[in-house]
Amino acid sequence: MLRSLVGSEMCIRDRSPMTLASAESKVIKKIEVGDNHCAQLVVDMGKNSSLCQVDDWWLNNAWHYTAWTNGDCPKPYTHLDRIEHPIGVSCVDLNTYGSPAVAPLVDDVAEEKTIHNISPGGAHCTEIYINDPATNAYWKAHGYQYPTVLWPVGECDRKIYNWFNRNGTIAEGVTSKTWGIHQN
């Protein structure tokens, strides 16, 4: 432990190797293998700054990735198909790898696309409906803000989220519904 005087206050900093390594250079890699792809989250704590608050993002979002495996995507998932970033944290990478033998993921061919997200704590689930995602202006400009690892395709599980809470319009051709849990 290092003690130093700053002004008239005594500061105590834990200078153990684990604390310094964790705070300054730890890189967290989590993966989830899907049907024909592998999603990899890369959180580099060394990139933490006032412009990119990696540690705050990880503190608030780590629970999304508890079921994911640590490490890199295995073979045959060696072809980087897409790089996405969580909203406001451009230094955290959500990489999607495919097999070179499989065509890259194309998810904007449907006439309507439905994605969903479960709020922290799990009390609510929000669905977003995008009409004609291939040509929708909002989706073209903001679709990257809804990475599939946080906003999977499909509706909320109605067995759990069975109580309609509210709906809204995000933009032309993009609407949302929020569902809650109602227990009898």
Side-chain angles (χ1 to χ4, degrees):
M1 195 159 308
L2 175 69
R3 296 174 189 223
S4 63
L5 291 174
V6 178
S8 61
E9 298 178 9
M10 185 188 307
C11 296
I12 301 174
R13 280 201 155 146
D14 183 358
R15 290 282 187 156
S16 66
M18 183 64 180
T19 303
L20 286 175
S22 297
E24 294 174 6
S25 63
K26 183 177 180 182
V27 177
I28 298 166
K29 291 183 178 182
K30 302 287 250 174
I31 66 165
E32 181 178 60
V33 177
D35 294 334
N36 63 353
H37 69 280
C38 175
Q40 180 188 44
L41 173 74
V42 180
V43 181
D44 186 347
M45 296 299 187
K47 293 181 178 179
N48 191 56
S49 70
S50 60
L51 296 175
C52 193
Q53 298 178 355
V54 177
D55 56 351
D56 287 344
W57 183 86
W58 183 243
L59 181 67
N60 291 312
N61 292 281
W63 68 275
H64 283 286
Y65 304 97
T66 55
W68 288 34
T69 305
N70 293 328
D72 293 312
C73 288
K75 289 183 179 181
Y77 308 109
T78 58
H79 183 264
L80 181 60
D81 289 338
R82 180 173 52 207
I83 299 174
E84 299 173 300
H85 309 283
I87 298 171
V89 190
S90 62
C91 52
V92 172
D93 297 327
L94 292 164
N95 303 322
T96 302
Y97 290 90
S99 171
V102 177
L105 296 174
V106 177
D107 57 0
D108 290 338
V109 295
E111 289 183 26
E112 180 174 275
K113 179 176 186 169
T114 303
I115 58 176
H116 71 278
N117 178 270
I118 299 171
S119 65
H124 293 92
C125 182
T126 300
E127 296 174 350
I128 295 180
Y129 311 96
I130 304 102
N131 288 329
D132 198 11
T135 60
N136 184 287
Y138 177 85
W139 190 246
K140 283 183 173 183
H142 300 281
Y144 72 92
Q145 296 174 337
Y146 302 91
T148 55
V149 294
L150 298 177
W151 289 87
V153 174
E155 296 180 343
C156 300
D157 184 348
R158 293 290 191 275
K159 292 177 185 167
I160 299 170
Y161 301 98
N162 55 1
W163 188 261
F164 173 77
N165 189 286
R166 66 178 166 269
N167 62 7
T169 300
I170 298 169
E172 185 176 339
V174 183
T175 58
S176 68
K177 287 185 182 175
T178 300
W179 297 85
I181 300 172
H182 178 70
Q183 296 176 358
N184 295 328

